Amino acid sequence: MPESPSKTGPETAGPGAAASPPSAEKPAARTEAPRVAAASLVGTTIEYYDFAVYGTASALVLGPAFFPSGNPTVSSLAAFLTFAAAFLSRPLGVVLFGTIGDRLGRRQALVASLLLMGVATVGVGLLPTYETAGLLAPVLLVTLRLLQGLSMGGEWGGAVLLAAEHAPPGRRALYASVPQAGPSLGFLLSSAVILPTLHIAGRDGFADWAWRIPFLLSTVLVVIGLWVRTTVSESPVFRDAAHRTAQAPAPAPESRFPLATLLKRYPGRLLLGTGAAIGGSAVYYLTIVYSLSYGPKQLGIPQNTMLTAASIGAAAGIAITLPVARLSDRIGRRPVMLAGAVGCVLWAVPMYASLSSRDAWLITGAYTVGLMLLALMFSPVAAFLPELFPARLRYSGASAAFILANTLGGGFAPLVATWLNSRWDSPLVLGFYTGGLCLLSLLCLLALPETRDHEFDT
């Protein structure tokens, strides 16, 4: 049985944190919950827009532009390898932004992560291609991808945590799930930019120069996101912990290294939390990243058909995100997530088998069902993972579990899928691979406790 969050002893926060009395901060902070949730959503949407733009560009043009090869499979593998590279740097982002978030404040970590993502994304849009700069071009591309991954390592945990720690009693999952719509909204936003750009510039024009437009437009979005995030208040739970630390004779030594403390005291919970989220990551990234390349290149499905199917499915998932979260506030996180995991295990093979039909309506319907089942897992996890850890380790703990799941289940999924399809050229391979990871999530959820009634101030 995994460790249960401790409810004894004072919580700690790092030096330099504001130390205002909890009684003065909490009521005002609670009334700000909707605005904080909206601010978290805006920032997360922008960060995932940047990530989705790169994923879609990888599927369409980045392979030939930066990794020219006579073999299309080799070019695709190289482009998806740079996609995976960003996931390798995500754990470093957990260390960096987790330490900032647990010691100096959730909001400071979120502002820094968004700024870093914006700089890296705009940088990709300004890069020379291999034809112009030779080997320097892919080196710079990988470097910027690593910076994007570093940023993402601190984004998700901070966004859901800031919303959850401002939430009123009994509605923690509802508020924490608001930024959970960010990944799908970011994908939809990227599609809303890429599809018209493809239509206006044409396939050749997009491959030649127009692929840069979605990256450069990120400048406007980041400015808006930074303005929104700097106007919200710090988490009341973090303020309370900082106040208690200021009143204590000396800070606890282990509070200086939240990730080290996490690995020492809660390794089982971290591993199970990672496993609980890994299947959902595979569904998301194989649907909105890999299949956008696989469908057109291997099966001859029109690019617009794949983008439209994924976009409609993502919109359906967004539509049920808040109702699903509210349900988990009423009946618990595990029942809802278990239902989603079982559904994804059973639906993974039929969903990807629909690609063999090459029928736009059938593919769209299959993707819509799949991404709605994903929402059953993805929406409550925003409250579930933070509730597994005490306040002083919550940013690091929730971020580490989610990012490890994203890296293992999502970041390498397009790369693994490309390799699998080079050996067994069938969409069924995607279904069995995804279904296996969703089964792992199901088993991990069965091993974890219900967390709905966990006292979040500890």
Side-chain angles (χ1 to χ4, degrees), residues 149-239:
L150 193 70
S151 167
M152 290 299 291
E155 170 58 31
W156 182 87
V160 302
L161 194 52
L162 194 64
E165 290 184 339
H166 275 87
R171 299 197 169 206
R172 192 183 304 146
L174 177 64
Y175 281 87
S177 72
V178 172
Q180 286 295 78
S184 292
L185 282 174
F187 170 71
L188 290 176
L189 186 59
S190 72
S191 296
V193 173
I194 289 173
L195 281 172
T197 305
L198 264 172
H199 178 72
I200 294 171
R203 182 81 185 204
D204 292 340
F206 189 85
D208 185 36
W209 59 271
W211 63 268
R212 300 178 183 275
I213 293 174
F215 290 96
L216 298 178
L217 284 178
S218 181
T219 305
V220 178
L221 299 175
V222 170
V223 170
I224 295 172
L226 287 172
W227 175 76
V228 171
R229 283 197 166 169
T230 54
T231 62
V232 300
S233 66
E234 183 55 82
S235 156
V237 175
F238 179 82
R239 289 179 185 271

Side-chain angles (χ1 to χ4, degrees), residues 363-383:
I363 295 170
T364 300
Y367 272 32
T368 299
V369 172
L371 290 175
M372 291 178 74
L373 290 171
L374 170 63
L376 295 180
M377 286 197 291
F378 197 62
S379 179
V381 82

Side-chain angles (χ1 to χ4, degrees), residues 354-372:
S354 70
L355 296 175
S356 296
S357 72
R358 298 173 175 80
D359 182 88
W361 290 102
L362 186 59
I363 295 170
T364 300
Y367 272 32
T368 299
V369 172
L371 290 175
M372 291 178 74

Side-chain angles (χ1 to χ4, degrees), residues 299-310:
L299 301 175
I301 302 171
Q303 191 72 60
N304 285 353
T305 296
M306 294 304 305
L307 281 170
T308 301

Side-chain angles (χ1 to χ4, degrees), residues 41-402:
L41 172 62
V42 169
T44 304
T45 299
I46 293 169
E47 293 232 14
Y48 273 91
Y49 163 84
D50 293 345
F51 227 69
V53 162
Y54 186 90
T56 305
S58 294
L60 297 179
V61 299
L62 293 188
F66 288 89
F67 306 96
S69 169
N71 187 330
T73 300
V74 172
S75 291
S76 294
L77 276 170
F80 284 132
L81 187 59
T82 64
F83 182 82
F87 288 82
L88 292 176
S89 61
R90 281 188 178 195
L92 294 178
V94 172
V95 176
L96 173 61
F97 292 107
T99 301
I100 295 173
D102 281 330
R103 296 192 61 206
L104 303 180
R106 321 308 198 196
R107 190 180 67 167
Q108 292 188 48
L110 283 173
V111 169
S113 71
L114 182 59
L115 182 61
L116 180 60
M117 175 61 84
V119 170
T121 303
V122 173
V124 172
L126 297 173
L127 282 180
T129 63
Y130 185 91
E131 184 180 2
T132 303
L135 288 175
L136 180 62
V139 169
L140 291 175
L141 179 64
V142 171
T143 301
L144 291 174
R145 284 295 292 159
L146 292 174
L147 292 179
Q148 282 188 321
L150 193 70
S151 167
M152 290 299 291
E155 170 58 31
W156 182 87
V160 302
L161 194 52
L162 194 64
E165 290 184 339
H166 275 87
R171 299 197 169 206
R172 192 183 304 146
L174 177 64
Y175 281 87
S177 72
V178 172
Q180 286 295 78
S184 292
L185 282 174
F187 170 71
L188 290 176
L189 186 59
S190 72
S191 296
V193 173
I194 289 173
L195 281 172
T197 305
L198 264 172
H199 178 72
I200 294 171
R203 182 81 185 204
D204 292 340
F206 189 85
D208 185 36
W209 59 271
W211 63 268
R212 300 178 183 275
I213 293 174
F215 290 96
L216 298 178
L217 284 178
S218 181
T219 305
V220 178
L221 299 175
V222 170
V223 170
I224 295 172
L226 287 172
W227 175 76
V228 171
R229 283 197 166 169
T230 54
T231 62
V232 300
S233 66
E234 183 55 82
S235 156
V237 175
F238 179 82
R239 289 179 185 271
D240 290 357
H243 176 72
R244 286 193 291 271
T245 299
Q247 302 303 313
E254 67 178 14
S255 69
R256 297 179 181 275
F257 307 101
L259 187 61
T261 304
L262 176 75
L263 294 173
K264 178 181 178 182
R265 295 186 58 187
Y266 304 101
R269 199 177 310 153
L270 176 60
L271 288 175
L272 288 173
T274 299
I278 199 169
S281 296
V283 174
Y284 180 82
Y285 283 102
L286 284 176
T287 301
I288 72 159
V289 176
Y290 178 74
S291 68
L292 299 185
S293 170
Y294 175 75
K297 291 181 179 179
Q298 301 298 320
L299 301 175
I301 302 171
Q303 191 72 60
N304 285 353
T305 296
M306 294 304 305
L307 281 170
T308 301
S311 297
I312 291 175
I318 293 171
I320 68 169
T321 292
L322 295 185
V324 166
R326 191 69 187 111
L327 180 64
S328 77
D329 275 329
R330 292 173 178 167
I331 69 173
R333 322 301 187 212
R334 288 176 76 249
V336 178
M337 294 177 68
L338 284 170
V342 170
C344 286
V345 169
L346 297 176
W347 188 247
V349 171
M351 177 170 67
Y352 292 113
S354 70
L355 296 175
S356 296
S357 72
R358 298 173 175 80
D359 182 88
W361 290 102
L362 186 59
I363 295 170
T364 300
Y367 272 32
T368 299
V369 172
L371 290 175
M372 291 178 74
L373 290 171
L374 170 63
L376 295 180
M377 286 197 291
F378 197 62
S379 179
V381 82
F384 183 67
L385 292 182
E387 287 166 347
L388 292 173
F389 305 98
R392 70 181 182 275
L393 302 173
R394 192 166 289 143
Y395 199 123
S396 297
S399 294
F402 189 79

